[in-house]
Amino acid sequence: MTDQTKISAETLVVGVGRPAHDHDAPVNPPIVLSSTFRGAGKVVPEDTVYARFDNPTWNGFEDAVASLEGAELPGLVFSSGMAAVASVMDLVPVGSIILLPQHTYMASVGLASDLAKRGIAEVVRLDLNDTDSVLAELHAAADRAGTTAENIDYAAPKVLLWMESPTNPMLEVADLPQILGEARKLGIVSAVDNTFATPLLQQPLKLGADIVVHSATKYLAGHSDVVLGATATNNPRLREAMLHHRTTNGAIAGPFEAWLALRGVRTLALRVNKAMENAQILAQKFLAHPAVTEVRYPGLPTDPGHEKAKQQMSGFGSILCIVLDASAQETEEVLNRLQLWTPATSLGGVESLVERRRRHSSEPDSIPDSLLRLAVGIESAEDLYRDFEQALAPLGK
Ligand SMILES: Cc1ncc(COP(=O)(O)O)c(C=O)c1O
């Protein structure tokens, strides 16, 4: 028997979630298209019963997410990243506090704001560049809510810490071990959105998180053809609560999407490594471009998040941001001149995407008008840079 703990991620992604090694068994899991499953008599926990409760097609992908994140319990797949986010945020009871970084994926902020509008939770924003102030906010929230490590109610957390690192889109890096460790001591339930880093580069459960969340739409599925989400945890009560949320809200994945996501996972290591190599080359080249006033990428030694990222990540990812010496209109015109890059939202596919984030009215003013988020794909870095050079040239810098 191979010792699974010694298997590298490159090997794991290829083999995880396949059917049992029986003679004539299919090599890939079949897609099960059935809304109901045969059964009579008392239902036992192992029964599938009905396709809103479970579907065998999900299981390979759920095992893949859990194994990659180093979780002992099976992962949970959801109909979208936001359905996965909601399965965590919706756990908070009336009178709770949600701690959320200043820059966080806009729909996650929207979900927390909706809870605030309905009088369920108070939202406190965190400055991840200032770890001491984050720790002070954790203490203040725990004091006000009366949480301790001994009285945590996982099914209804009074204080929820929501982390993104690196953040979307500003790429700030949180000191995850310190922040998550303090949260645990204070009885605060913590979740990390690990979409940007992927489990290949960062494993939040090992850094002290209670829950890890993914928009599997991005790197895990990897081809911009699926909308899907996932969570993983080592805590049985939290898993039960998220599963209950999924089942009762019906936030379930289609079997075809789950199958495609597992197929995407097979090449995760190749894609992540190549895209990251490209991002590092591009970040360095953009530093020297006269039309670029700022490059944000944790892989640059000059980046404020570099040292923290080096400690807690095994690579710096493939998203970078550049700020242009240009107006919003001029920046949009640059996008229209690009031929290889696709101007579009989202990230994590094989193709390079680029977006001016402030085109979304929900992005805050603290994000510069001419900031472009580059979701680097697996093409040639040289070709990608040349395309930008020609698109930037008319700015005359
Ligand atoms: C960091 C992050 N989390 C969550 C989501 C939501 O995922 P989905 O679009 O799959 O619902 C996104 C989507 O862009 C994201 O970037």
Side-chain angles (χ1 to χ4, degrees):
M1 222 17 219
T2 322
D3 180 355
Q4 298 285 321
T5 56
K6 294 220 173 80
I7 283 181
S8 68
E10 285 96 327
T11 308
L12 183 72
V13 291
V14 173
V16 72
R18 296 201 186 267
H21 295 186
D22 298 333
H23 179 70
D24 260 356
V27 169
N28 291 303
I31 301 176
V32 177
L33 292 171
S34 185
S35 60
T36 192
F37 297 84
R38 293 180 70 96
K42 196 170 164 49
V43 173
V44 296
E46 299 75 45
D47 289 346
T48 307
V49 185
Y50 185 57
R52 183 161 45 74
F53 306 166
D54 199 2
N55 183 315
T57 320
W58 298 342
N59 303 152
F61 180 66
E62 293 182 324
D63 285 349
V65 173
S67 306
L68 284 165
E69 288 291 358
E72 278 152 30
L73 301 171
L76 290 169
V77 62
F78 290 83
S79 51
S80 66
M82 283 316 299
V85 175
S87 80
V88 180
M89 280 203 193
D90 277 352
L91 298 182
V92 300
V94 171
S96 56
I97 302 170
I98 301 179
L99 301 155
L100 198 69
Q102 200 59 45
H103 297 117
T104 306
Y105 175 56
M106 55 194 175
S108 302
V109 177
L111 204 55
S113 306
D114 286 352
L115 289 164
K117 275 186 215 142
R118 301 208 308 271
I120 294 169
E122 180 195 335
V123 178
V124 174
R125 305 303 289 271
L126 306 172
D127 178 3
L128 298 185
N129 295 317
D130 180 356
T131 304
D132 287 343
S133 74
V134 174
L135 299 178
E137 291 291 4
L138 294 187
H139 278 268
D143 277 353
R144 282 197 288 136
T147 61
T148 66
E150 287 73 43
N151 71 4
I152 306 182
D153 180 355
Y154 287 102
K158 284 196 193 133
V159 186
L160 174 70
L161 169 67
W162 187 264
M163 280 279 115
E164 242 181 56
S165 183
T167 60
N168 184 3
M170 292 295 267
L171 300 172
E172 292 134 329
V173 179
D175 184 336
L176 288 179
Q178 212 184 337
I179 296 170
L180 297 171
E182 199 66 13
R184 185 156 288 177
K185 279 193 226 148
L186 294 168
I188 294 174
V189 172
S190 64
V192 176
D193 183 332
N194 204 25
T195 301
F196 269 35
T198 83
L200 292 190
L201 307 181
Q202 177 169 276
Q203 292 179 307
L205 298 179
K206 293 192 179 152
L207 299 173
D210 292 311
I211 302 168
V212 58
V213 177
H214 281 278
S215 167
T217 311
K218 312 298 194 292
Y219 292 98
L220 294 179
H223 295 77
S224 305
D225 51 10
V226 166
V227 174
L228 215 64
T231 64
T233 180
N234 281 322
N235 182 313
R237 278 177 294 166
L238 280 173
R239 186 176 186 279
E240 190 53 43
M242 293 186 289
L243 174 60
H244 177 78
H245 191 276
R246 179 179 80 178
T247 304
T248 51
N249 287 271
I252 57 160
F256 192 58
E257 281 76 6
W259 185 89
L260 269 178
L262 182 59
R263 183 174 135 137
V265 163
R266 303 285 175 232
T267 54
L268 182 67
L270 283 176
R271 290 184 284 104
V272 164
N273 287 328
K274 169 67 177 162
M276 186 162 63
E277 202 180 288
N278 281 351
Q280 185 77 39
I281 295 171
L282 288 170
Q284 261 142 4
K285 284 184 179 287
F286 279 123
L287 271 184
H289 197 292
V292 175
T293 56
E294 190 185 348
V295 182
R296 303 184 76 99
Y297 181 61
L300 291 173
T302 48
D303 190 272
H306 182 69
E307 287 307 318
K308 278 180 272 177
K310 248 179 29 187
Q311 298 296 317
Q312 63 200 31
M313 300 176 78
S314 54
F316 303 107
S318 47
I319 317 275
L320 64 118
C321 287
I322 56 174
V323 181
L324 302 186
D325 183 5
S327 65
Q329 177 59 31
E330 287 167 333
T331 307
E332 291 290 350
E333 286 162 11
V334 169
L335 296 188
N336 286 330
R337 286 192 288 269
L338 288 167
Q339 287 165 16
L340 294 179
W341 293 77
T342 303
T345 199
S346 202
L347 53 118
V350 290
E351 68 292 324
S352 292
L353 303 181
V354 53
E355 185 180 38
R356 191 178 72 83
R357 284 303 284 184
R358 284 291 296 285
R359 81 185 178 111
H360 300 282
S361 54
S362 46
E363 285 290 23
D365 294 356
S366 49
I367 295 169
D369 245 342
S370 64
L371 177 140
L372 292 175
R373 186 185 73 185
L374 277 55
V376 181
I378 63 169
E379 305 93 331
S380 138
E382 297 301 322
D383 292 343
L384 291 172
Y385 189 68
R386 261 202 308 277
D387 194 24
F388 248 101
E389 275 186 319
Q390 66 76 22
L392 291 170
L395 291 177
K397 307 285 174 194

